Amino acid sequence: MVTRDNGGTWFRTSTITLFVLMLLAAGLLAGCGGNANATNNKTEPLTENTDPVVPIDPPAVEPEPVDPPSFIAPLTGLALPTEPVQRPFAVMVNNFSAARPQSGLPHADMVWEVLAEGGITRLVAIFQSDNFTDPIGPIRSNRPYLIRIGEALGGVLVHAGASNDGYDVLQHQHKAYLDEITNAGSYFYRESFRKAPHNLYSNLEKLREGALKKKYDQTVTIPTFPFSDAGATAAGVPAASVNLNFLLKDYKVSYAYDEATKLYLRSINGEPHTDLTTGDQLSATNLVVLGAKHKTYDDYGRLEVNLESGGPAVLIQLGKAVECTWVRSDDDVIRLMKDGQELPFVPGKTFYHIVPLSPTFAGHVSYS
């Protein structure tokens, strides 16, 4: 009981009430703390990750850029692993029937076919960019117009003998030449499987040794030519089959175009013209036919061939032919022109053919 007139009783009652309230508050706090701990200490069950694993592709590797070839052969336009600085050799190769098949011609950058006396032809093979050990030959004599072909391309002239006019040019005009008869016999050799004079040979090693011994320049300015993979005959006429005659009716040169290799395969009198060493048929990427004035000047039938004045020409490549003209340019090289522009070759080997203008130029070449 609480009485207002008893101060002690009021004090005890208030104290008891306050104590009870404090106990209730402590219980509530303990309950809350217990629930919180229970929640915090609860262990969640482990579950597997069922999301699919997406593979990560490696970063794309950019292809290495392909550098253009560092060196280009000046006479063929073909890529080379090393700089082609060596001086060319212009070798007079026998083309008489007893001398065929010849050796070494597949290694020539250019081959020029020109009439010699008696209606037979001679080949001037220009060796510059290829290094090889095969024999070269059979080798025959020189003429002034053959000298003109070889020297214009920077070549050391290689031959066995010459006409009187040829020797006059060689000796009095101080040409670089290796002649088996007069000044370089030790750099040639004869084979026993053929009869003289169709059995004289040399090779690149011997020719280089001879040129070095003679102290001829080992490097010279070699003319360059324009080249294009598309060539210059897109607007030309079909020329998958090419036929040439020089003078003799029983000597005919023909070419058949091989679309797969883009090469013209050479035949003589309907038979493949092959290389003796490899057995391969001779072939060329570009064929050129030049018309030039021919004149017989002695009883032996020796010729003068005008390679200075220019004239009609045909360029044949990629299965087509285009008519053009040839000129002797300011750098002393024969070049093919049409509409005031020099025509490009397709990169590869080129075979030139110089035919008479009489009775007509067109009478010496046909194609279809």
Side-chain angles (χ1 to χ4, degrees), residues 313-328:
V314 178
L315 172 61
I316 303 169
Q317 55 188 199
L318 300 175
K320 291 189 175 182
V322 60
E323 294 183 357
C324 53
T325 59
W326 68 269
V327 299
R328 177 74 69 174

Side-chain angles (χ1 to χ4, degrees), residues 99-345:
R100 296 194 300 263
Q102 299 95 336
S103 297
L105 293 176
H107 300 283
D109 292 24
M110 292 177 171
V111 176
W112 295 67
E113 184 168 16
V114 196
L115 276 168
E117 54 273 6
I120 63 173
T121 65
R122 187 138 305 158
L123 307 178
V124 184
I126 311 297
F127 299 95
Q128 196 276 325
S129 65
D130 197 357
N131 288 310
F132 62 98
T133 59
D134 294 352
I136 301 171
I139 298 170
R140 284 304 302 269
S141 58
N142 215 336
R143 299 289 181 270
Y145 52 91
L146 305 181
I147 295 171
R148 195 76 177 94
I149 292 170
E151 69 170 355
L153 298 168
V156 174
L157 305 162
V158 180
H159 55 98
S163 64
N164 291 335
D165 289 341
Y167 273 130
D168 184 60
V169 172
L170 292 168
Q171 296 171 354
H172 293 99
Q173 296 184 24
H174 307 291
K175 304 299 184 184
Y177 68 98
L178 298 173
D179 176 23
E180 187 263 347
I181 293 177
T182 63
N183 77 341
S186 61
Y187 305 107
F188 297 78
Y189 62 92
R190 293 195 179 270
E191 289 285 8
S192 60
F193 61 85
R194 279 190 174 136
K195 294 181 179 180
H198 311 302
N199 64 345
L200 184 67
Y201 293 81
S202 188
N203 57 49
L204 210 55
E205 181 182 7
K206 287 181 175 292
L207 297 180
R208 287 175 176 165
E209 183 184 352
L212 187 63
K213 182 71 173 180
K214 294 293 180 183
K215 298 182 179 179
Y216 296 144
D217 291 339
Q218 300 298 298
T219 59
V220 296
T221 300
I222 302 171
T224 58
F225 294 83
F227 291 95
S228 167
D229 289 339
T233 57
V237 299
S241 176
V242 180
N243 294 282
L244 297 164
N245 67 78
F246 289 81
L247 191 61
L248 298 177
K249 292 183 178 180
D250 61 352
Y251 177 77
K252 295 181 179 180
V253 174
S254 61
Y255 292 90
Y257 182 60
D258 181 358
E259 179 71 34
T261 61
K262 296 181 170 56
L263 296 175
Y264 282 90
L265 304 178
R266 177 179 167 99
S267 295
I268 293 180
N269 295 331
E271 297 293 331
H273 189 177
T274 59
D275 175 67
L276 179 62
T277 304
T278 65
D280 295 337
Q281 188 171 3
L282 302 185
S283 63
T285 302
N286 308 282
L287 305 178
V288 177
V289 187
L290 309 175
K293 292 181 179 179
H294 289 58
K295 178 183 177 182
T296 302
Y297 69 89
D298 66 13
D299 293 338
Y300 291 97
R302 294 190 178 96
L303 297 171
E304 290 180 358
V305 180
N306 185 338
L307 297 181
E308 309 301 324
S309 301
V314 178
L315 172 61
I316 303 169
Q317 55 188 199
L318 300 175
K320 291 189 175 182
V322 60
E323 294 183 357
C324 53
T325 59
W326 68 269
V327 299
R328 177 74 69 174
S329 64
D330 292 339
D331 62 356
D332 211 28
V333 176
I334 289 177
R335 298 187 181 276
L336 303 180
M337 308 295 294
K338 188 175 181 64
D339 299 328
Q341 300 293 322
E342 184 176 1
L343 298 182
F345 294 118

